[in-house]
Amino acid sequence: MFITFEGIEGTGKSTQIALLKERLEALGKRVLVTLEPGGSRIGAELRRVLLSLENRDLAPQAELFLYLADRSQHVSQVIRPALEAGMVVLSDRFADSTVAYQAYGRGMDPEMLHELNTIAVGGLWPDMTLLLDIDPELGLRRATERNSREGKTVAEGRFEAESMAFHQRVRQGYLAWAARFPERMRVVEASGTPEDIASSISALVESRLHAGV
Ligand code: TYD
């Protein structure tokens, strides 16, 4: 089973992924946690290029193709082998991030990016995508607090430095995209406590497991 987590910064994706991993392991599953960009060895190099503040001059199309390259490598070297070995794969971001950020955020055509994603994933779409939804004002406040706890500056990466309007567009884009794929994508309200969010997620995932995916 392949589950992806999506959402703007500060939704608590990594906390929720760790909690779901524990829960699934308690049910006897073997779980691989991975992320984009940077889930493969080559992807880690692409991640540095993509997120470094030094690369403010990265052209939007070049950025797009680097995310897609990272994804192709991730699917073929990491995700597909783990699924074939019978593991549950949890990925922090996947194809929908490209639609949300590069299409809705940066202004490219979502349908065109969906086609490019289809090439990048090589037929391997998630069984389930959990979209953690939060107001960007709250999400970015949480991300900023986390960064300062971890000793990073506020504008730690190129995306944290984007405007609030950009993050609003990304959030609305995610919601529009979830409405286009209601079977695969589930919206999880993410302003509550980590425990509340975790129990909504467990309920969704366990009902899918019982349905035999
Ligand atoms: P990261 O530090 O992993 O952020 P987060 O904790 O929010 O996941 O940075 C990943 C950034 O890359 C994030 O701001 C979203 C962006 N991104 C895209 O713009 N397009 C993509 O296809 C992917 C996978 C990520």
Side-chain angles (χ1 to χ4, degrees):
M1 185 180 198
F2 178 28
I3 304 175
T4 60
F5 283 71
E6 296 283 354
I8 60 164
E9 275 82 331
T11 48
K13 290 191 303 299
S14 42
T15 305
Q16 292 304 324
I17 289 171
L19 291 171
L20 181 61
K21 176 180 196 281
E22 272 176 28
R23 176 99 192 108
L24 290 169
E25 284 176 344
L27 294 172
K29 308 276 178 201
R30 288 187 305 132
V31 180
L32 176 79
V33 171
T34 185
L35 86 170
E36 285 194 4
S40 64
R41 184 185 61 80
I42 291 172
E45 297 191 32
L46 298 175
R47 179 181 176 91
R48 199 198 58 74
V49 173
L50 279 161
L51 300 185
S52 165
L53 275 174
E54 282 162 28
N55 294 335
R56 280 183 189 276
D57 57 340
L58 186 62
Q61 287 79 1
E63 176 189 62
L64 167 68
F65 285 109
L66 290 178
Y67 279 117
L68 294 167
D70 172 68
R71 185 157 306 129
S72 298
Q73 189 70 13
H74 192 204
V75 168
S76 64
Q77 302 282 298
V78 177
I79 300 174
R80 201 186 288 281
L83 292 172
E84 283 170 0
M87 299 182 84
V88 175
V89 176
L90 306 180
S91 184
D92 187 343
R93 300 191 177 282
F94 193 63
D96 303 306
S97 282
T98 300
V99 173
Y101 284 79
Q102 279 65 53
Y104 289 98
R106 299 247 191 262
M108 293 183 212
D109 174 17
E111 295 301 330
M112 182 180 75
L113 297 203
H114 180 59
E115 292 300 313
L116 294 174
N117 264 331
T118 303
I119 300 173
V121 306
L124 196 123
W125 288 101
D127 298 299
M128 184 175 212
T129 296
L130 298 163
L131 169 57
L132 273 54
D133 179 55
I134 200 170
D135 179 343
E137 300 269 359
L138 179 57
L140 288 214
R141 199 177 326 132
R142 285 188 181 172
T144 307
E145 284 164 8
R146 180 193 62 199
N147 283 351
S148 64
R149 268 201 312 278
E150 291 173 1
K152 296 177 192 157
T153 57
V154 174
E156 172 242 353
R158 292 192 315 119
F159 284 89
E160 280 85 346
E162 286 287 350
S163 67
M164 187 52 67
F166 175 86
H167 293 285
Q168 297 282 9
R169 287 198 302 278
V170 171
R171 181 205 194 181
Q172 294 307 329
Y174 266 131
L175 291 171
W177 204 241
R180 185 168 176 316
F181 294 101
E183 277 299 302
R184 173 173 67 83
M185 294 182 72
R186 294 299 158 98
V187 182
V188 176
E189 211 277 314
S191 61
T193 65
E195 294 74 24
D196 288 344
I197 302 168
S199 59
S200 312
I201 290 176
S202 294
L204 287 168
V205 171
E206 283 169 38
S207 75
R208 192 58 71 96
L209 281 174
H210 294 140
V213 176

